[in-house]
Amino acid sequence: MDFISSILQDLLSILFSFTGDLGVAIVVVTLMVKLIIMPLSMKQKFSMRKQQDMAEKMNKIKEKYKNNPKELEKQIESHAVESMKSMAGLFTLLLQMPIVFALYKTFSSMPQDFASSIVPWVNNLSMSDNLFIIPCIYALTMLAPNLINRIPYFKNSSQVELNKYMVIMTIVMSFMFTAKTPVAIGLYFITSGVYTLIEDICFRIYFKSKNKLALE
């Protein structure tokens, strides 16, 4: 963890020397890290997609063989191995955690007297946003991936419908999480959230195109 944090601190210092803006340097570092771990992230998305497909397939099997317990058990067993293989990819998420914690440590230990043109209303990136603009932006960023599922083209039939309770909880938790957090950390979370949103949109477009070609 300290090794990764040391590398990120050096990278942040180099980028700051080029940009002259610590906020810009934080955004660039975040994007670089997200691009580096993109293969793990995409593997996780493919695994989650397989799990969704498996869930739909199992529901159809249960409905088809609901009056034939022996055949139902046989079908469930035959799909169990495939399901476990697809779940293995979900563990790649754990490999990203050391990098996330190292980034948090890096931004938390940065100089105490730097501002940024990205957030002109804040005089010190190590302080929280008293105007709560950063928390509001982050809350919207966290909500966006769920909202795009309401767009017909991106809609995923196996995804749980977004309800008012989920919307409120997402907004409240995201806002509270960054309300007293240093703005530097908020910039990281917002940049990471926007990148994840774009990655998710690209992933959905890829699957839509793939399914369209398969039908043709």
Side-chain angles (χ1 to χ4, degrees):
M1 187 78 70
D2 291 336
F3 174 72
I4 298 176
S5 181
S6 177
I7 293 176
L8 291 174
Q9 287 176 0
D10 291 341
L11 182 58
L12 190 63
S13 298
I14 293 172
L15 289 171
F16 176 65
S17 66
F18 277 103
T19 63
D21 190 309
L22 194 58
V24 174
I26 289 172
V27 171
V28 174
V29 167
T30 304
L31 292 175
M32 290 176 67
V33 171
K34 296 295 288 185
L35 287 171
I36 290 172
I37 64 176
M38 184 175 66
L40 296 177
S41 177
M42 294 306 295
K43 187 173 182 180
Q44 177 194 353
K45 289 182 182 296
F46 277 107
S47 296
M48 292 179 66
R49 183 73 186 198
K50 287 181 180 180
Q51 282 294 307
Q52 293 171 356
D53 292 340
M54 284 297 300
E56 291 182 353
K57 188 182 295 184
M58 289 302 297
N59 288 334
K60 292 179 180 178
I61 289 174
K62 289 178 181 179
E63 179 64 25
K64 182 177 180 180
Y65 298 104
K66 61 181 179 181
N67 297 322
N68 190 344
K70 290 185 178 181
E71 184 62 26
L72 177 59
E73 183 179 356
K74 180 180 178 182
Q75 290 292 328
I76 291 177
E77 289 178 354
S78 66
H79 287 83
V81 175
E82 183 180 351
S83 179
M84 289 300 295
K85 287 181 179 179
S86 63
M87 285 184 65
L90 298 177
F91 292 109
T92 57
L93 177 64
L94 299 177
L95 299 177
Q96 302 180 41
M97 298 311 296
I99 299 176
V100 173
F101 285 122
L103 278 171
Y104 190 95
K105 182 179 179 180
T106 299
F107 298 152
S108 298
S109 60
M110 66 182 192
Q112 299 295 308
D113 56 351
F114 281 97
S116 173
S117 59
I118 298 178
V119 284
W121 64 92
V122 178
N123 296 322
N124 192 336
L125 294 182
S126 66
M127 303 296 290
S128 59
D129 184 358
N130 293 328
L131 297 179
F132 301 108
I133 297 176
I134 292 294
C136 289
I137 295 175
Y138 180 61
L140 292 174
T141 302
M142 290 299 293
L143 188 62
N146 295 304
L147 293 178
I148 63 171
N149 194 53
R150 301 181 71 87
I151 301 175
Y153 181 79
F154 296 117
K155 189 173 180 60
N156 185 347
S157 59
S158 62
Q159 185 168 328
V160 178
E161 285 291 337
L162 187 66
N163 55 46
K164 292 182 180 180
Y165 177 77
M166 292 174 62
V167 171
I168 294 173
M169 285 301 297
T170 299
I171 293 175
V172 171
M173 294 301 294
S174 301
F175 186 90
M176 291 179 62
F177 186 70
T178 50
K180 296 299 180 181
T181 300
V183 172
I185 305 299
L187 283 176
Y188 160 69
F189 283 123
I190 290 172
T191 304
S192 180
V194 171
Y195 176 90
T196 301
L197 175 62
I198 295 174
E199 187 179 78
D200 187 44
I201 291 175
C202 293
F203 182 77
R204 294 186 186 217
I205 292 175
Y206 166 77
F207 257 97
K208 288 288 184 180
S209 301
K210 184 179 179 180
N211 291 337
K212 184 178 180 180
L213 289 174
L215 292 174
E216 293 176 351

